[in-house]
Amino acid sequence: MKPAILVVDDDEVMRQTLSDVLKKRGYTVSTAETGGQTLSSVKEQLFDLILLDIRLPDMDGLDVLKRIKDIESDLMVIVMTAYSDVQTAVMAMKSGAYDYIDKPFELEELKILIQKALETQSLRNEIRRLRRQGGKKYQGTEIFGNSPLIKNVMELIEMISQTPRTSVLIQGESGTGKELAANAIHYRSKRANKPLMKINCGAIPENLLETEIFGYEKGAFTDAKGTKKGLFELANGGTVFLDEIAEMKSYLQTKLLRVLEIQNFMRVGGEREISVDVRIIASTNRDLSALVNAGQFRKDVYYRLKVMVIEMPPLRERREDIQLLANMFIEENNKELGKTVTVISEAAKEYLLNYCWPGNVRELKNIIERAMILSDDNEILPDHLPIELRKFQMDGTADLISDNADLTLDAAEKKHIKDVLMMMDGNKSRASRVLGISRSTLREKLKKYSISAA
Ligand SMILES: Nc1ncnc2c1ncn2[C@@H]1O[C@H](COP(=O)(O)OP(=O)(O)OP(=O)(O)O)[C@@H](O)[C@H]1O
Ligand SMILES: [Mg+2]
């Protein structure tokens, strides 16, 4: 999207000249003659930069500057001052101007200054993005597999990534690679060098979710001392991944619908229409159509998202991929763990191929890692695999009851919680969601059974 610049000057010739020059440079330019006009423009519209003449007919320019900063604390303002008015320039810088330029100036000088300001602005956004998405491990973008089911998915991803903005719904059980698919779409698309911003709608408290996604204006609530950009703004030009979309509350879905339909929204507590250019990818491990029927998810949002659906197939329906994925994870771990595992014994392979994989590829990945840590030569043996796999092999269920087993419900609950936790990489939020209990209930149970989440 073209950067938007507001040119403020009471001199018509100056306004016109600057406006023409900047338009030619590829910017979107608006103009204002007075301080009053400037402030109302800033309230209505989002600019990337303001070129502000400090001498205005109706208001003191410094005052206008302060009020602009009040509305949008990180807006870039370049102040145009009269030659030799050093005092004003200094005051302007103190009031938050990015820089100043003396009138009369060379157009070339101004162009460079503007370019620098916009670069600084995008660097700031970049830092903000990194901070917000910080701590997240880099995730791959390559989807492995030879089965027809996964090949279909790859083709679909290829096709979708070539569309400019089509929104996508990715459905599938836990651990099937939904996030991986989202990465793949983004990084294969023309948006690849723009940001991919992710948010898990189920992991963030409702009120925070709204401001994370849409941002807020100063004064939106008591703590809102400044303005905050939401994910949609930070992802501009790129992609937003809304993980666990089913957890999003209805009123937020309404706001989302507007973005899906006209790429437009307002920050919390704001009245400015903000336009963005983003592709929205949503994902869920729940049955959205059932939620729609039960009145728990908005039909209109569902239909908007449903235009492009990717169904991630469960691992048990594409067993032909197990071996390939296992080998791939072994290679990865050899590098990371400094191991030299080269083979999976025939018996161990049997177990892997016959298991039901409720945690899908993530579970396979975890099990391989664990086996490699346990193995002290070059081979993965049945002994290195978790007991569930071996039990499953014997009678086709993951829960074989043997003679000396502890048959109390408590024992079963403990085991189940441990299994699910392992499947979810020890992630308690995920585990509690899969178990259908709250985080605090899960915490109590972990304590009760003295399970330590890794
Ligand atoms: N086809 C695949 N090829 C390679 N790695 C895969 C594949 N599918 C999944 N993975 C890996 O499995 C792990 C789980 O994948 P991912 O996080 O994308 O699943 P998910 O469907 O988003 O799970 P959840 O519903 O729990 O959020 C990741 O480490 C991912 O890289
Ligand atoms: Mg996921």
Side-chain angles (χ1 to χ4, degrees), residues 139 143-144 174-180 325 361-362 365:
Q139 247 205 341
I143 299 171
F144 287 81
S174 181
T176 46
K178 296 186 291 297
E179 187 167 344
L180 186 63
L325 286 167
V361 184
R362 176 181 297 107
K365 190 173 178 177

Side-chain angles (χ1 to χ4, degrees), residues 129-379:
R129 276 198 286 273
L130 291 173
R131 264 201 206 121
R132 286 244 211 129
Q133 305 277 293
K136 272 230 176 110
K137 269 193 284 178
Y138 171 76
Q139 247 205 341
T141 63
E142 196 169 355
I143 299 171
F144 287 81
N146 272 327
S147 62
L149 280 175
I150 204 75
K151 285 255 156 89
N152 260 340
V153 167
M154 292 177 196
E155 267 168 37
L156 199 53
I157 286 176
E158 196 54 47
M159 198 186 87
I160 292 170
S161 63
Q162 299 313 307
T163 66
R165 196 157 69 191
T166 310
S167 15
V168 187
L169 176 64
I170 306 177
Q171 288 186 306
E173 290 177 15
S174 181
T176 46
K178 296 186 291 297
E179 187 167 344
L180 186 63
N183 291 346
I185 293 173
H186 175 76
Y187 288 108
R188 274 169 185 69
S189 75
K190 290 212 171 67
R191 297 172 180 269
N193 53 8
K194 291 290 168 81
L196 164 63
M197 299 294 287
K198 300 177 179 178
I199 192 159
N200 184 329
C201 304
I204 294 176
E206 199 184 322
N207 53 335
L208 284 184
L209 187 62
E210 181 172 16
T211 55
E212 276 299 311
I213 296 179
F214 297 104
Y216 56 72
E217 300 283 4
K218 185 175 172 176
F221 40 87
T222 336
D223 289 338
K225 301 264 190 293
T227 50
K228 177 178 164 116
K229 289 185 178 171
L231 287 198
F232 278 124
E233 278 174 79
L234 293 176
N236 203 3
T239 307
V240 169
F241 178 54
L242 302 169
D243 205 356
E244 298 193 33
I245 186 88
E247 309 305 317
M248 192 183 254
K249 290 290 173 304
S250 173
Y251 79 99
L252 280 184
Q253 289 177 33
T254 315
K255 281 185 92 161
L256 177 64
L257 185 65
R258 259 180 83 82
V259 184
L260 285 165
E261 280 176 342
I262 54 169
Q263 301 264 313
N264 207 313
F265 67 95
M266 289 176 203
R267 291 180 185 160
V268 176
E271 281 161 9
R272 288 183 289 185
E273 298 273 351
I274 300 175
S275 299
V276 283
D277 167 27
V278 290
R279 183 204 297 276
I280 296 176
I281 304 180
S283 98
T284 180
N285 54 15
R286 302 178 63 184
D287 180 355
L288 267 196
S289 72
L291 291 178
V292 169
N293 289 335
Q296 284 163 14
F297 196 85
R298 285 187 63 124
K299 202 177 189 165
D300 42 14
V301 176
Y302 177 57
Y303 280 112
R304 269 276 157 188
L305 290 173
K306 210 174 84 105
V307 179
M308 269 302 166
V309 178
I310 300 179
E311 290 285 352
M312 297 305 293
L315 190 56
R316 65 182 166 281
E317 285 175 17
R318 45 176 167 121
R319 294 187 186 276
E320 57 270 53
D321 289 339
I322 294 174
Q323 170 107 50
L324 178 95
L325 286 167
N327 288 342
M328 202 256 310
F329 293 137
I330 288 175
E331 234 171 81
E332 255 180 39
N333 286 322
N334 274 337
K335 279 189 209 130
E336 252 172 60
L337 304 171
K339 289 267 183 178
T340 51
V341 174
T342 46
V343 263
I344 307 174
S345 78
E346 282 306 314
K349 209 179 285 171
E350 278 289 292
Y351 289 130
L352 293 178
L353 291 175
N354 288 314
Y355 184 53
C356 62
W357 300 110
N360 295 293
V361 184
R362 176 181 297 107
E363 191 182 13
L364 175 62
K365 190 173 178 177
N366 288 345
I367 284 178
I368 294 290
E369 183 179 347
R370 178 174 176 276
M372 289 176 70
I373 292 170
L374 294 177
S375 151
D376 39 29
D377 59 18
N378 299 336
E379 195 171 17

